[in-house]
Amino acid sequence: MNIAWKEMKKNKAKFTILGSIIFLVSFLTFIISGLSNGLSQDNAALIKDLPDGQFYMNADANETYNLSKIDVDIQADILKKQKDAMAFSIQMGFVNDTEDKQHSVAFVTSTDSKLFKSVGKGEVILDRSMEDDGIKVGDILTNNQFNGEFKVTGFVDQQKYSHAPVAFINMDDYKEIYRAQEMQLIFIPGTEKVQDVSGLQSFSNKDFLNTIPSYNAEQMSLNMIVWFLVVISGMLFAIFFYMMNVQKIGLYGILKALGVKTSRLFGMMWYQMIVITVTALVLSVALSQGFATIAPEGMPFSLTLETTIQLSIIFLIIGFIGATLSGLQIKKVEPLQAIQQGEV
């Protein structure tokens, strides 16, 4: 490893350029991943924060919860058999504040459950982001399709759906607004084995999220960008070390003639790859975490420790693969021929 370190010191410019590129690519990847996670929470925190379980909607709804209507008798039977189960509905709408200003919300109502807030008639519990719009506990809100008024009784943290703050309302108030008697969905938490229910289609948490059009399209686009950047980093390592190895054919020939094993030559290359990658990752992680503190208010950015570790490991693996593929030519080096062709 001493030889590898000396080479890096001798060719500072080359290795600095590679390290800078890897830093920029990894930094951009962390930023986009943080935005992806943030948008994911902003789009479906209401669903993502639920425990693992099974969602059920009408089989004739074509996997579209808005079209789903759970039969009242089927709902009553499931809720009777499954004590922790709940039926709920989600509809996009709006509320008017005291200044008659409209605010987009996602109305949510459910049967009695510890998973969602219990709300009395004429009351509403809002996502805390509504406080930024000047709404306070005790304020009176209205809806054009509702004859009564909503009194704000509290706020909850991180309850968003389709990029709109959630508004928990009473079931009777919900039915009056949307003229609907049936619930759209049933959720049974902690269900390991899927229970077949006649007329209903079941979904895991992940599968149900993918039925939300905006969520699926948004996450797919951002994840493709992240993986594209990861692949680019691997290609950069492969191209860089390939060019370096071509220039060092003569050196490898002399080292092999002196008895240096091929595995040790690979070890030198891997050592250089690890030093460059780890240094770049440390800087990019530090800056991406710092970005979270200076990001504009309201920007959905969430880069968790788990995601950071996963991406860092992936970068190391990709770097290892790229460097190894570029170094396969080392195995083919014949000492005498290499010395004649290359220059030390």
Side-chain angles (χ1 to χ4, degrees):
M1 301 310 144
N2 188 37
I3 298 176
W5 179 249
K6 286 183 177 180
E7 183 187 6
M8 293 180 69
K9 291 175 66 177
K10 181 179 179 181
N11 299 286
K12 289 180 182 178
K14 293 180 180 179
F15 286 96
T16 300
I17 291 172
L18 176 64
S20 299
I21 296 173
I22 297 301
F23 159 71
L24 292 173
V25 171
S26 59
F27 177 62
L28 183 59
T29 304
F30 283 123
I31 294 297
I32 293 177
S33 181
L35 289 172
S36 176
N37 290 337
L39 286 169
S40 172
Q41 284 294 116
D42 196 63
N43 199 349
L46 177 75
I47 304 300
K48 294 187 70 174
D49 290 346
L50 291 174
D52 290 336
Q54 290 292 322
F55 292 83
Y56 292 86
M57 72 170 71
N58 193 301
D60 297 328
N62 295 321
E63 299 186 0
T64 305
Y65 75 91
N66 278 329
L67 303 178
S68 176
K69 293 182 180 180
I70 305 293
D71 183 85
V72 176
D73 293 332
I74 294 177
Q75 174 182 315
D77 184 57
I78 294 176
L79 296 184
K80 183 178 179 181
K81 293 179 180 178
Q82 301 287 339
K83 294 183 179 180
D84 294 330
M86 71 169 178
F88 69 102
S89 291
I90 308 170
Q91 284 285 5
M92 303 306 296
F94 63 88
V95 291
N96 301 314
D97 59 21
T98 53
E99 298 177 358
D100 206 31
K101 182 181 178 181
Q102 285 191 353
H103 303 268
S104 296
V105 296
F107 284 114
V108 177
T109 190
S110 70
T111 55
D112 291 337
S113 172
K114 61 182 179 181
L115 299 174
F116 285 165
K117 291 291 184 180
S118 178
V119 187
K121 290 190 67 174
E123 297 177 348
V124 61
I125 295 178
L126 302 168
D127 177 73
R128 195 169 300 280
S129 62
M130 295 289 283
E131 286 185 318
D132 296 334
D133 293 337
I135 297 176
K136 306 180 295 296
V137 172
D139 282 359
I140 300 299
L141 307 177
T142 60
N143 179 278
N144 295 350
Q145 297 170 285
F146 183 53
N147 292 326
E149 296 178 333
F150 292 115
K151 181 179 180 180
V152 180
T153 58
F155 293 95
V156 288
D157 294 317
Q158 294 298 317
Q159 290 294 293
K160 293 284 193 74
Y161 187 83
S162 193
H163 300 297
V166 163
F168 292 100
I169 60 176
N170 185 267
M171 189 180 298
D172 292 334
D173 296 338
Y174 178 92
K175 290 179 178 179
E176 179 181 337
I177 294 174
Y178 293 103
R179 309 296 189 266
Q181 297 302 314
E182 302 91 352
M183 292 288 99
Q184 297 170 336
L185 301 159
I186 289 179
F187 178 67
I188 305 177
T191 305
E192 297 179 1
K193 186 178 180 180
V194 178
Q195 301 180 19
D196 293 327
V197 181
S198 178
L200 300 184
Q201 184 177 0
S202 64
F203 301 85
S204 65
N205 293 51
K206 183 178 180 180
D207 290 337
F208 181 73
L209 285 172
N210 288 330
T211 66
I212 305 172
S214 61
Y215 180 89
N216 194 26
E218 188 177 81
Q219 291 301 301
M220 186 180 296
S221 300
L222 291 171
N223 287 335
M224 283 183 64
I225 295 173
V226 169
W227 284 109
F228 184 68
L229 290 171
V230 170
V231 171
I232 286 178
S233 69
M235 294 174 63
L236 286 171
F237 272 113
I239 294 170
F240 176 82
F241 280 106
Y242 177 81
M243 298 302 296
M244 291 287 288
N245 291 336
V246 168
Q247 296 175 6
K248 295 189 295 183
I249 291 294
L251 174 62
Y252 289 145
I254 292 176
L255 291 175
K256 278 195 169 184
L258 293 174
V260 177
K261 295 181 178 180
T262 301
S263 59
R264 188 178 177 187
L265 296 179
F266 268 96
M268 292 166 54
M269 186 172 57
W270 291 332
Y271 173 80
Q272 292 171 342
M273 180 276 298
I274 290 174
V275 171
I276 293 171
T277 307
V278 170
T279 303
L281 286 174
V282 169
L283 291 174
S284 59
V285 168
L287 285 180
S288 58
Q289 292 294 337
F291 177 80
T293 61
I294 63 173
E297 188 176 350
M299 176 181 286
F301 185 87
S302 175
L303 185 60
T304 63
L305 179 62
E306 180 182 3
T307 301
T308 302
I309 293 174
Q310 288 176 349
L311 284 175
S312 298
I313 293 174
I314 290 172
F315 268 110
L316 286 169
I317 293 173
I318 291 295
F320 176 82
I321 294 173
T324 301
L325 290 176
S326 70
L328 293 178
Q329 58 187 318
I330 296 176
K331 295 179 64 176
K332 302 176 182 178
V333 172
E334 294 294 335
L336 182 59
Q337 184 179 4
I339 293 171
Q340 291 174 345
Q341 293 179 353
E343 294 180 0
V344 181

